[in-house]
């Protein structure tokens, strides 16, 4: 590898090309970090066709700029929206959008390593649904790679771009016939297959960058984490696995993806305004018109991609209605009061004493070791939709979906929702239900499925407050893991300035002085004082009004403790080592208030509403619970 000021070159012996990259801004004289951007890994022969691996390049490849991304709505990324930064604090990144040139990857690696180095490789699958990309500044790999060098466990990190939204999932019988004629096996799942092609590229070509193709860790969050679960239960992973282990962070799990006919019906409804039904018409529609087409699924059970019986492996069996009634009639309110302590944003809850299930000895082939967890307030992702509901509308909707008074009552009573629930309580309780149904309980089901398969599982809970929003919101763990977001209450906490293809502003220094922090603390109120206030101002959706006086302060020491803990655990796992002692189903906790470390399994029942999962959600069954949660997270139909 040759260094030329800010540019570096790497001659790839297998590909017979020279990649020109950059010296990462986070580099120091003692720890130089290199980055190669926008390397095309696959080509797209036509819209809604499977991608093909790129195996030849020109003699010289410019890898100093990020490549194009999949067409998507022109707005802030979901991560930037969730993190809660002011517009002026967000580095400006401008990416070209091109549906046929969006399959590219970025490699961040320590300098001075070659084919013989055999460094572990971490491949990141971004989330964000139909708006997001693998080149976002939020999860740039510079800080994580530098940390790996600092702790003498160097890694290489790869982020990838792939097709998202309708471009990545479209499927119907017409497309199935078209794909079959072109020689493709299966239909839809184009984004998932793009990710598989990226893993193929890593398997073939990462060695010349210093990586070990036989030691790859797949990690991702949100919809990207759900994609990882899809890969775990894919036929390809069963027959030819391309990664050694996986880290699943706050996955929005889809245990029941639609079959081809159901996906086609949903797609036809979504495309009706465009009057496009034939394959030729679908390919003639301009991409700008397709970015706002909303489909509710990210994967299709086309009979090819997923292994046989994957639904049964992921979903616990539904039970009779009788177990649903019993805990409610015995006074589920008291149970819920204990469980809700796990929602505390600022104090560690008391252990509840229940153990996670032990792994049966019968192994199932084709599953890798797994690290998995969620954030305490992942449902913040749907807070805006939840605020639009009224209590009577929720009750009516649940009864309509469940088509059973008993089943609807089980859910409503478990989360203390009734026709007269006050608006400021309703939003919180809806978000608890949605969080359990869409992320927390499905995550537990994946844990149990992996344990039943006889595979190792490391379980964590992320309850650490995000520095800007003062709560463990969806994507809060990314702030600490990638260490690219500035702390709002301390100066110059982020070490990286993200100069990209355009001239970008560097991060500002402190946004709050120590005097201002003290003023915030002085305004903290007791629960009794809170009850005397007009709570409606906080249920109206303005987090900033609440932030001014009750936000837990994340100081530099607290931030550093959690950052170091999560980075070191992830890096250790990528090395193929045990990230912590998981005997007796122990869990690792991040937060609240800077707490980190291994805890007994009993603490899990106090951090999450596991009692409700077992006594209410499990008897109702995953399909019904997911349907309810999807309806609630979409908000009411406003006419």
């Amino acid at each position: 590898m040759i260094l030329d000021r800010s540019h570096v070159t790497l001659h790839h012996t297998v590909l017979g090309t020279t990649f020109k990259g950059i010296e990462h801004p986070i580099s120091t004289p003692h720890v130089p970090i290199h980055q190669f951007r926008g390397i095309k890994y696959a080509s797209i022969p036509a819209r809604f066709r499977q991608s093909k691996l790129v195996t030849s390049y020109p003699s010289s490849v410019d890898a100093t700029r990020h490549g194009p991304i999949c067409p998507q709505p022109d707005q802030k990324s979901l991560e930037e929206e969730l993190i809660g930064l002011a517009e002026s604090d967000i580095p400006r990144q401008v990416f070209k959008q091109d549906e046929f040139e969006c399959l590219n990857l970025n490699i961040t690696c320590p300098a001075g390593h070659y084919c013989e180095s055999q460094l572990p490789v971490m491949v990141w699958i971004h989330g964000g649904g139909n708006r997001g990309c693998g080149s976002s500044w939020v999860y740039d790999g510079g800080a994580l790679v530098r940390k790996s060098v600092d702790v003498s466990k160097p890694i290489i990190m790869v982020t990838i771009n792939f097709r998202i939204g309708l471009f990545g999932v479209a499927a119907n019988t017409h497309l199935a016939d078209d794909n079959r004629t072109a020689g493709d096996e299966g239909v839809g799942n184009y984004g998932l297959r793009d990710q598989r092609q990226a893993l193929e590229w890593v398997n073939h070509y990462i060695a010349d960058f210093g990586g070990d193709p036989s030691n790859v860790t797949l990690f991702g969050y949100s919809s990207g984490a759900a994609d990882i679960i899809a890969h775990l239960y894919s036929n390809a992973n069963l027959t030819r696995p391309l990664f050694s282990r996986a880290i699943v962070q706050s996955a929005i799990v889809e245990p029941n993806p639609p079959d081809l006919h159901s996906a086609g019906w949903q797609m036809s409804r979504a495309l009706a305004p465009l009057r496009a039904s034939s394959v030729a018409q679908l390919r003639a529609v301009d991409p700008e018109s397709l970015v706002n087409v909303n489909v509710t699924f990210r994967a299709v059970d086309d009979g090819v991609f997923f292994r046989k019986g994957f639904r049964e492996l992921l979903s616990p069996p539904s039970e009779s209605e009788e177990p649903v009634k019993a805990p409610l009639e015995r006074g589920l309110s008291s149970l819920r009061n204990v469980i809700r302590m796990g929602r505390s944003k600022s104090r560690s809850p008391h252990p509840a004493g229940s153990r996670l299930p032990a792994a049966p000895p019968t192994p199932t082939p084709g599953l890798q070791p797994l690290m998995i967890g969620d954030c305490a307030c992942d449902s913040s992702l749907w807070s805006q939709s939840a605020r639009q509901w009224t209590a009577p509308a929720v009750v009516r909707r649940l009864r309509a979906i469940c088509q059973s008074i008993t089943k609807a009552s089980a859910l409503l009573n478990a989360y203390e929702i009734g026709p007269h629930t006050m608006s400021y309580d309703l939003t919180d309780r809806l978000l608890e239900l949605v969080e359990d149904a869409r992320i927390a309980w499905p995550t537990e089901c994946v844990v149990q499925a992996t344990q039943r398969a006889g595979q190792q599982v490391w379980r964590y809970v992320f309850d650490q407050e995000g520095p800007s929003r003062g709560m463990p919101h969806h994507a809060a763990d990314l702030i600490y893991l990638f260490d690219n977001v500035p702390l709002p209450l301390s100066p110059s906490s982020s070490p990286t300035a993200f100069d990209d293809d355009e001239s970008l502003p560097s991060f500002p220094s402190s946004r709050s002085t120590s005097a201002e922090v003290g003023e915030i603390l002085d305004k903290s109120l007791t629960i009794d004082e809170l009850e005397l206030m007009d709570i409606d101002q906080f249920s109206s959706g303005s987090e900033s009004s609440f932030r001014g006086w009750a936000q837990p302060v994340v100081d530099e020491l607290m931030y550093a403790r959690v950052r170091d803990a999560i980075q070191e655990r992830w890096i250790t796992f990528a090395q193929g080592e045990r990230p912590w002692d998981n005997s007796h189903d122990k869990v690792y906790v991040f937060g609240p208030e800077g707490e980190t470390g291994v805890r007994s399994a009993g603490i899990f029942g106090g951090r999450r509403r596991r009692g409700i999962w077992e006594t209410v959600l499990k008897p109702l069954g995953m399909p019904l619970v997911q349907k309810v949660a999807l309806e609630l997270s979409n908000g009411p139909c406003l006419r």
Side-chain angles (χ1 to χ4, degrees), residues 584-607:
H584 307 294
D585 299 316
K586 292 177 181 175
V587 298
Y588 200 98
V589 302
F590 300 96
E593 298 182 342
E595 176 189 358
T596 63
V598 180
R599 302 291 182 267
S600 67
I603 200 172
F604 185 79
R607 296 288 185 111

PDB file of all heavy atoms in Angstrom, residues 584-607:
ATOM      1  N   HIS A 584     -25.330 -19.530  32.029  1.00  0.00           N
ATOM      2  CA  HIS A 584     -26.576 -19.313  32.778  1.00  0.00           C
ATOM      3  C   HIS A 584     -27.376 -18.149  32.184  1.00  0.00           C
ATOM      4  O   HIS A 584     -28.079 -17.436  32.902  1.00  0.00           O
ATOM      5  CB  HIS A 584     -26.294 -19.064  34.265  1.00  0.00           C
ATOM      6  CG  HIS A 584     -25.439 -20.120  34.898  1.00  0.00           C
ATOM      7  ND1 HIS A 584     -25.861 -21.422  35.064  1.00  0.00           N
ATOM      8  CD2 HIS A 584     -24.163 -20.068  35.378  1.00  0.00           C
ATOM      9  CE1 HIS A 584     -24.900 -22.131  35.641  1.00  0.00           C
ATOM     10  NE2 HIS A 584     -23.856 -21.332  35.833  1.00  0.00           N
ATOM     11  N   ASP A 585     -27.252 -17.964  30.851  1.00  0.00           N
ATOM     12  CA  ASP A 585     -28.027 -16.954  30.131  1.00  0.00           C
ATOM     13  C   ASP A 585     -27.822 -15.544  30.683  1.00  0.00           C
ATOM     14  O   ASP A 585     -28.764 -14.747  30.757  1.00  0.00           O
ATOM     15  CB  ASP A 585     -29.519 -17.312  30.146  1.00  0.00           C
ATOM     16  CG  ASP A 585     -29.793 -18.646  29.475  1.00  0.00           C
ATOM     17  OD1 ASP A 585     -29.219 -18.875  28.406  1.00  0.00           O
ATOM     18  OD2 ASP A 585     -30.567 -19.445  30.032  1.00  0.00           O
ATOM     19  N   LYS A 586     -26.602 -15.225  31.059  1.00  0.00           N
ATOM     20  CA  LYS A 586     -26.314 -13.871  31.529  1.00  0.00           C
ATOM     21  C   LYS A 586     -26.466 -12.870  30.389  1.00  0.00           C
ATOM     22  O   LYS A 586     -26.318 -13.216  29.219  1.00  0.00           O
ATOM     23  CB  LYS A 586     -24.902 -13.806  32.103  1.00  0.00           C
ATOM     24  CG  LYS A 586     -24.728 -14.587  33.406  1.00  0.00           C
ATOM     25  CD  LYS A 586     -23.293 -14.545  33.883  1.00  0.00           C
ATOM     26  CE  LYS A 586     -23.136 -15.345  35.173  1.00  0.00           C
ATOM     27  NZ  LYS A 586     -21.721 -15.418  35.612  1.00  0.00           N
ATOM     28  N   VAL A 587     -26.768 -11.641  30.745  1.00  0.00           N
ATOM     29  CA  VAL A 587     -26.947 -10.583  29.753  1.00  0.00           C
ATOM     30  C   VAL A 587     -25.957  -9.458  30.038  1.00  0.00           C
ATOM     31  O   VAL A 587     -25.501  -9.286  31.166  1.00  0.00           O
ATOM     32  CB  VAL A 587     -28.396 -10.027  29.767  1.00  0.00           C
ATOM     33  CG1 VAL A 587     -29.395 -11.097  29.403  1.00  0.00           C
ATOM     34  CG2 VAL A 587     -28.734  -9.412  31.125  1.00  0.00           C
ATOM     35  N   TYR A 588     -25.650  -8.715  28.976  1.00  0.00           N
ATOM     36  CA  TYR A 588     -24.784  -7.544  29.134  1.00  0.00           C
ATOM     37  C   TYR A 588     -25.666  -6.303  29.066  1.00  0.00           C
ATOM     38  O   TYR A 588     -26.522  -6.187  28.183  1.00  0.00           O
ATOM     39  CB  TYR A 588     -23.726  -7.484  28.032  1.00  0.00           C
ATOM     40  CG  TYR A 588     -22.545  -6.610  28.382  1.00  0.00           C
ATOM     41  CD1 TYR A 588     -21.375  -7.166  28.868  1.00  0.00           C
ATOM     42  CD2 TYR A 588     -22.607  -5.220  28.242  1.00  0.00           C
ATOM     43  CE1 TYR A 588     -20.281  -6.373  29.209  1.00  0.00           C
ATOM     44  CE2 TYR A 588     -21.526  -4.419  28.575  1.00  0.00           C
ATOM     45  CZ  TYR A 588     -20.370  -4.991  29.059  1.00  0.00           C
ATOM     46  OH  TYR A 588     -19.288  -4.207  29.402  1.00  0.00           O
ATOM     47  N   VAL A 589     -25.474  -5.381  30.002  1.00  0.00           N
ATOM     48  CA  VAL A 589     -26.303  -4.178  30.037  1.00  0.00           C
ATOM     49  C   VAL A 589     -25.466  -2.959  29.687  1.00  0.00           C
ATOM     50  O   VAL A 589     -24.315  -2.823  30.111  1.00  0.00           O
ATOM     51  CB  VAL A 589     -26.982  -3.985  31.408  1.00  0.00           C
ATOM     52  CG1 VAL A 589     -27.851  -5.181  31.763  1.00  0.00           C
ATOM     53  CG2 VAL A 589     -25.971  -3.736  32.518  1.00  0.00           C
ATOM     54  N   PHE A 590     -26.054  -2.096  28.873  1.00  0.00           N
ATOM     55  CA  PHE A 590     -25.490  -0.781  28.567  1.00  0.00           C
ATOM     56  C   PHE A 590     -26.479   0.255  29.073  1.00  0.00           C
ATOM     57  O   PHE A 590     -27.564   0.408  28.508  1.00  0.00           O
ATOM     58  CB  PHE A 590     -25.290  -0.619  27.058  1.00  0.00           C
ATOM     59  CG  PHE A 590     -24.367  -1.631  26.431  1.00  0.00           C
ATOM     60  CD1 PHE A 590     -24.878  -2.772  25.837  1.00  0.00           C
ATOM     61  CD2 PHE A 590     -22.997  -1.441  26.434  1.00  0.00           C
ATOM     62  CE1 PHE A 590     -24.043  -3.698  25.245  1.00  0.00           C
ATOM     63  CE2 PHE A 590     -22.140  -2.369  25.852  1.00  0.00           C
ATOM     64  CZ  PHE A 590     -22.669  -3.511  25.255  1.00  0.00           C
ATOM     65  N   GLY A 591     -26.135   0.940  30.177  1.00  0.00           N
ATOM     66  CA  GLY A 591     -27.029   1.915  30.743  1.00  0.00           C
ATOM     67  C   GLY A 591     -28.067   1.271  31.643  1.00  0.00           C
ATOM     68  O   GLY A 591     -28.134   0.051  31.774  1.00  0.00           O
ATOM     69  N   PRO A 592     -28.915   2.146  32.268  1.00  0.00           N
ATOM     70  CA  PRO A 592     -28.917   3.604  32.111  1.00  0.00           C
ATOM     71  C   PRO A 592     -27.808   4.279  32.920  1.00  0.00           C
ATOM     72  O   PRO A 592     -27.168   3.651  33.751  1.00  0.00           O
ATOM     73  CB  PRO A 592     -30.300   3.998  32.636  1.00  0.00           C
ATOM     74  CG  PRO A 592     -30.624   2.953  33.662  1.00  0.00           C
ATOM     75  CD  PRO A 592     -30.002   1.676  33.139  1.00  0.00           C
ATOM     76  N   GLU A 593     -27.631   5.571  32.636  1.00  0.00           N
ATOM     77  CA  GLU A 593     -26.696   6.422  33.368  1.00  0.00           C
ATOM     78  C   GLU A 593     -25.279   5.870  33.401  1.00  0.00           C
ATOM     79  O   GLU A 593     -24.590   5.931  34.420  1.00  0.00           O
ATOM     80  CB  GLU A 593     -27.210   6.678  34.785  1.00  0.00           C
ATOM     81  CG  GLU A 593     -28.541   7.427  34.808  1.00  0.00           C
ATOM     82  CD  GLU A 593     -29.038   7.717  36.213  1.00  0.00           C
ATOM     83  OE1 GLU A 593     -28.560   7.061  37.169  1.00  0.00           O
ATOM     84  OE2 GLU A 593     -29.899   8.588  36.343  1.00  0.00           O
ATOM     85  N   GLY A 594     -24.841   5.292  32.283  1.00  0.00           N
ATOM     86  CA  GLY A 594     -23.462   4.850  32.177  1.00  0.00           C
ATOM     87  C   GLY A 594     -23.160   3.486  32.744  1.00  0.00           C
ATOM     88  O   GLY A 594     -22.007   3.045  32.716  1.00  0.00           O
ATOM     89  N   GLU A 595     -24.161   2.776  33.250  1.00  0.00           N
ATOM     90  CA  GLU A 595     -23.923   1.432  33.787  1.00  0.00           C
ATOM     91  C   GLU A 595     -23.551   0.482  32.649  1.00  0.00           C
ATOM     92  O   GLU A 595     -24.171   0.481  31.592  1.00  0.00           O
ATOM     93  CB  GLU A 595     -25.178   0.916  34.490  1.00  0.00           C
ATOM     94  CG  GLU A 595     -25.045  -0.511  35.004  1.00  0.00           C
ATOM     95  CD  GLU A 595     -26.361  -1.082  35.514  1.00  0.00           C
ATOM     96  OE1 GLU A 595     -27.380  -0.353  35.496  1.00  0.00           O
ATOM     97  OE2 GLU A 595     -26.363  -2.265  35.912  1.00  0.00           O
ATOM     98  N   THR A 596     -22.530  -0.330  32.855  1.00  0.00           N
ATOM     99  CA  THR A 596     -22.165  -1.361  31.888  1.00  0.00           C
ATOM    100  C   THR A 596     -21.701  -2.600  32.630  1.00  0.00           C
ATOM    101  O   THR A 596     -21.196  -2.517  33.752  1.00  0.00           O
ATOM    102  CB  THR A 596     -21.025  -0.906  30.949  1.00  0.00           C
ATOM    103  OG1 THR A 596     -19.843  -0.652  31.721  1.00  0.00           O
ATOM    104  CG2 THR A 596     -21.405   0.337  30.166  1.00  0.00           C
ATOM    105  N   GLY A 597     -21.876  -3.766  32.012  1.00  0.00           N
ATOM    106  CA  GLY A 597     -21.348  -4.990  32.597  1.00  0.00           C
ATOM    107  C   GLY A 597     -22.288  -6.165  32.448  1.00  0.00           C
ATOM    108  O   GLY A 597     -23.434  -6.033  32.010  1.00  0.00           O
ATOM    109  N   VAL A 598     -21.786  -7.334  32.815  1.00  0.00           N
ATOM    110  CA  VAL A 598     -22.557  -8.572  32.751  1.00  0.00           C
ATOM    111  C   VAL A 598     -23.452  -8.657  33.977  1.00  0.00           C
ATOM    112  O   VAL A 598     -23.020  -8.377  35.101  1.00  0.00           O
ATOM    113  CB  VAL A 598     -21.619  -9.798  32.691  1.00  0.00           C
ATOM    114  CG1 VAL A 598     -22.428 -11.084  32.633  1.00  0.00           C
ATOM    115  CG2 VAL A 598     -20.688  -9.693  31.498  1.00  0.00           C
ATOM    116  N   ARG A 599     -24.705  -9.022  33.744  1.00  0.00           N
ATOM    117  CA  ARG A 599     -25.659  -9.164  34.843  1.00  0.00           C
ATOM    118  C   ARG A 599     -26.340 -10.531  34.751  1.00  0.00           C
ATOM    119  O   ARG A 599     -26.380 -11.148  33.687  1.00  0.00           O
ATOM    120  CB  ARG A 599     -26.724  -8.057  34.784  1.00  0.00           C
ATOM    121  CG  ARG A 599     -26.154  -6.638  34.847  1.00  0.00           C
ATOM    122  CD  ARG A 599     -25.572  -6.325  36.212  1.00  0.00           C
ATOM    123  NE  ARG A 599     -25.069  -4.951  36.289  1.00  0.00           N
ATOM    124  CZ  ARG A 599     -23.820  -4.597  36.051  1.00  0.00           C
ATOM    125  NH1 ARG A 599     -22.920  -5.514  35.713  1.00  0.00           N
ATOM    126  NH2 ARG A 599     -23.441  -3.335  36.141  1.00  0.00           N
ATOM    127  N   SER A 600     -26.909 -10.969  35.846  1.00  0.00           N
ATOM    128  CA  SER A 600     -27.595 -12.261  35.863  1.00  0.00           C
ATOM    129  C   SER A 600     -28.842 -12.215  34.994  1.00  0.00           C
ATOM    130  O   SER A 600     -29.387 -11.139  34.701  1.00  0.00           O
ATOM    131  CB  SER A 600     -27.977 -12.636  37.296  1.00  0.00           C
ATOM    132  OG  SER A 600     -28.960 -11.733  37.785  1.00  0.00           O
ATOM    133  N   ALA A 601     -29.302 -13.380  34.584  1.00  0.00           N
ATOM    134  CA  ALA A 601     -30.476 -13.451  33.715  1.00  0.00           C
ATOM    135  C   ALA A 601     -31.703 -12.847  34.382  1.00  0.00           C
ATOM    136  O   ALA A 601     -32.613 -12.360  33.704  1.00  0.00           O
ATOM    137  CB  ALA A 601     -30.753 -14.911  33.340  1.00  0.00           C
ATOM    138  N   GLY A 602     -31.722 -12.855  35.701  1.00  0.00           N
ATOM    139  CA  GLY A 602     -32.887 -12.329  36.404  1.00  0.00           C
ATOM    140  C   GLY A 602     -33.161 -10.870  36.134  1.00  0.00           C
ATOM    141  O   GLY A 602     -34.311 -10.431  36.194  1.00  0.00           O
ATOM    142  N   ILE A 603     -32.115 -10.109  35.816  1.00  0.00           N
ATOM    143  CA  ILE A 603     -32.316  -8.681  35.598  1.00  0.00           C
ATOM    144  C   ILE A 603     -33.112  -8.421  34.325  1.00  0.00           C
ATOM    145  O   ILE A 603     -33.736  -7.372  34.172  1.00  0.00           O
ATOM    146  CB  ILE A 603     -30.960  -7.940  35.538  1.00  0.00           C
ATOM    147  CG1 ILE A 603     -31.154  -6.439  35.801  1.00  0.00           C
ATOM    148  CG2 ILE A 603     -30.269  -8.131  34.192  1.00  0.00           C
ATOM    149  CD1 ILE A 603     -29.853  -5.682  35.944  1.00  0.00           C
ATOM    150  N   PHE A 604     -33.119  -9.397  33.405  1.00  0.00           N
ATOM    151  CA  PHE A 604     -33.797  -9.191  32.134  1.00  0.00           C
ATOM    152  C   PHE A 604     -35.293  -8.973  32.325  1.00  0.00           C
ATOM    153  O   PHE A 604     -35.900  -8.133  31.654  1.00  0.00           O
ATOM    154  CB  PHE A 604     -33.553 -10.397  31.214  1.00  0.00           C
ATOM    155  CG  PHE A 604     -34.111 -10.220  29.836  1.00  0.00           C
ATOM    156  CD1 PHE A 604     -33.439  -9.452  28.903  1.00  0.00           C
ATOM    157  CD2 PHE A 604     -35.307 -10.808  29.470  1.00  0.00           C
ATOM    158  CE1 PHE A 604     -33.943  -9.280  27.624  1.00  0.00           C
ATOM    159  CE2 PHE A 604     -35.821 -10.640  28.197  1.00  0.00           C
ATOM    160  CZ  PHE A 604     -35.134  -9.879  27.276  1.00  0.00           C
ATOM    161  N   GLY A 605     -35.897  -9.718  33.246  1.00  0.00           N
ATOM    162  CA  GLY A 605     -37.324  -9.556  33.495  1.00  0.00           C
ATOM    163  C   GLY A 605     -37.675  -8.194  34.042  1.00  0.00           C
ATOM    164  O   GLY A 605     -38.814  -7.734  33.897  1.00  0.00           O
ATOM    165  N   GLY A 606     -36.708  -7.538  34.681  1.00  0.00           N
ATOM    166  CA  GLY A 606     -36.957  -6.197  35.186  1.00  0.00           C
ATOM    167  C   GLY A 606     -36.699  -5.118  34.152  1.00  0.00           C
ATOM    168  O   GLY A 606     -37.190  -4.001  34.291  1.00  0.00           O
ATOM    169  N   ARG A 607     -35.929  -5.446  33.123  1.00  0.00           N
ATOM    170  CA  ARG A 607     -35.620  -4.469  32.080  1.00  0.00           C
ATOM    171  C   ARG A 607     -36.618  -4.508  30.924  1.00  0.00           C
ATOM    172  O   ARG A 607     -36.724  -3.567  30.164  1.00  0.00           O
ATOM    173  CB  ARG A 607     -34.213  -4.739  31.528  1.00  0.00           C
ATOM    174  CG  ARG A 607     -33.064  -4.557  32.532  1.00  0.00           C
ATOM    175  CD  ARG A 607     -32.825  -3.094  32.838  1.00  0.00           C
ATOM    176  NE  ARG A 607     -31.654  -2.899  33.693  1.00  0.00           N
ATOM    177  CZ  ARG A 607     -30.511  -2.345  33.302  1.00  0.00           C
ATOM    178  NH1 ARG A 607     -30.361  -1.956  32.055  1.00  0.00           N
ATOM    179  NH2 ARG A 607     -29.527  -2.195  34.157  1.00  0.00           N
TER     180      ARG A 607
END
